[in-house]
Amino acid sequence: MLKLKDITVKYGSYTAVRNVNLEVGTGEIVVLLGSNGAGKSTVFKTVSGLNKNSSGDILFEGESINKRTPDKIVQSGIVQCAEGRKLFPSMTVHENLKMGAYVHRKNRKMIKESIEHVFELFPILEEKQHDMAGSLSGGQQQMLAIGRALMAKPKLMLLDEPSIGLAPLIVEQMFDVIQTINREGTTILLAEQNANAALKIANRGYVFENGSVVLEGTSDELFANDEIKKAYIGA
Ligand code: ATP
């Protein structure tokens, strides 16, 4: 579904991502592991069209999306759920969800059904639908961010650090819902520092260090790897 071919991304003269090759197959959950600053967010922003790669190509469903603008990339079916949530804090939960369906704004029936679907996945959002997004807890804001991304009906969802700053129980719920969203047909590319939780739900993963992929494999292979255990799982 998604293929990054030899992608290099620079900020000025600084190379943040170097010659990265990676693939996400239809229906998969793929995780990018790596410490702060390893280049995961830069990869996401490049796929979303917010950063431009200085070399290489990005293919989505066989077509190059390299030159597409961010809104065209959303229309193609790739939606990024941002780290740090980036909700509209002084709009209600319901209004935030509607904003997520901007690309389908002419289809009221679809929007209504999508909101119902998000409420099924996250019942707390239905309870809080008239509350301001800014008044929600960290976990609820993350749920709303995922819900808002779902409103665009993505084929591929990019999830950047969904577990960051959340209590372990909430992290578990979050990963359960990510798995449900995947089973319902959305392919997922996930960036995570919580390797333990991420590898449990992912099919495959890539390990980033200093902007390059240093290791790739199935989740089982990565889980069994001593370096990964030491660096990310704490075993
Ligand atoms: P994090 O989890 O902290 O977001 P990451 O693996 O996603 O880490 P990136 O955010 O992609 O890493 O950053 C990769 C490198 O690029 C880092 O050294 C970072 O300081 C640098 N970088 C990121 N954004 C910019 C920018 N806008 N301008 C200059 N350098 C940047």
Side-chain angles (χ1 to χ4, degrees):
M1 176 179 256
L2 179 75
K3 202 168 193 173
L4 270 62
K5 288 167 76 176
D6 224 11
I7 289 295
T8 293
V9 188
K10 295 184 177 183
Y11 296 112
S13 60
Y14 178 73
T15 304
V17 165
R18 192 186 301 274
N19 302 112
V20 164
N21 289 285
L22 71 83
E23 265 184 66
V24 184
T26 305
E28 278 194 309
I29 299 181
V30 174
V31 62
L32 310 185
L33 300 174
S35 49
N36 272 337
K40 306 175 304 296
S41 302
T42 299
V43 167
F44 275 27
K45 284 184 206 143
T46 309
V47 173
S48 301
L50 299 169
N51 282 342
K52 287 294 161 207
N53 42 303
S54 56
S55 60
D57 200 4
I58 304 175
L59 303 179
F60 182 61
E61 296 185 315
E63 285 180 39
S64 173
I65 56 166
N66 229 6
K67 298 211 163 62
R68 288 187 199 169
T69 53
D71 61 315
K72 288 278 182 293
I73 290 174
V74 172
Q75 279 172 21
S76 313
I78 302 178
V79 172
Q80 174 161 3
C81 175
E83 178 188 21
R85 303 165 199 153
K86 302 214 171 73
L87 297 165
F88 302 108
S90 45
M91 286 169 70
T92 66
V93 166
H94 195 271
E95 287 164 346
N96 267 277
L97 289 176
K98 270 173 63 184
M99 292 298 285
Y102 184 76
V103 282
H104 304 298
R105 62 194 175 282
K106 294 199 178 102
N107 192 337
R108 282 202 195 171
K109 185 164 170 275
M110 186 197 262
I111 292 176
K112 193 165 171 276
E113 283 168 3
S114 299
I115 289 182
E116 280 164 14
H117 178 228
V118 171
F119 287 165
E120 271 167 33
L121 290 170
F122 301 111
I124 188 72
L125 296 183
E126 182 164 23
E127 262 175 55
K128 305 233 168 205
Q129 61 177 301
H130 302 300
D131 293 6
M132 295 300 165
S135 73
L136 301 181
S137 71
Q140 292 160 358
Q141 290 195 20
Q142 183 60 45
M143 291 173 198
L144 180 54
I146 295 177
R148 193 178 62 176
L150 269 181
M151 292 293 297
K153 295 207 169 283
K155 295 178 192 167
L156 172 67
M157 191 187 280
L158 310 178
L159 275 169
D160 198 353
E161 305 266 4
S163 78
I164 204 161
L166 303 184
L169 194 66
I170 310 286
V171 172
E172 217 173 289
Q173 286 173 7
M174 197 66 75
F175 279 86
D176 280 350
V177 175
I178 293 169
Q179 219 167 7
T180 304
I181 292 169
N182 175 252
R183 282 203 202 102
E184 288 175 349
T186 308
T187 302
I188 304 230
L189 180 60
L190 181 70
E192 258 302 332
Q193 294 195 43
N194 187 339
N196 202 11
L199 288 174
K200 277 187 194 148
I201 67 161
N203 302 94
R204 294 186 303 110
Y206 295 84
V207 181
F208 277 73
E209 255 173 47
N210 300 321
S212 299
V213 173
V214 291
L215 195 62
E216 61 178 278
T218 64
S219 293
D220 289 345
E221 285 165 355
L222 294 177
F223 218 87
N225 184 295
D226 286 340
E227 296 296 309
I228 303 286
K229 274 190 200 154
K230 250 189 271 162
Y232 305 108
I233 302 177

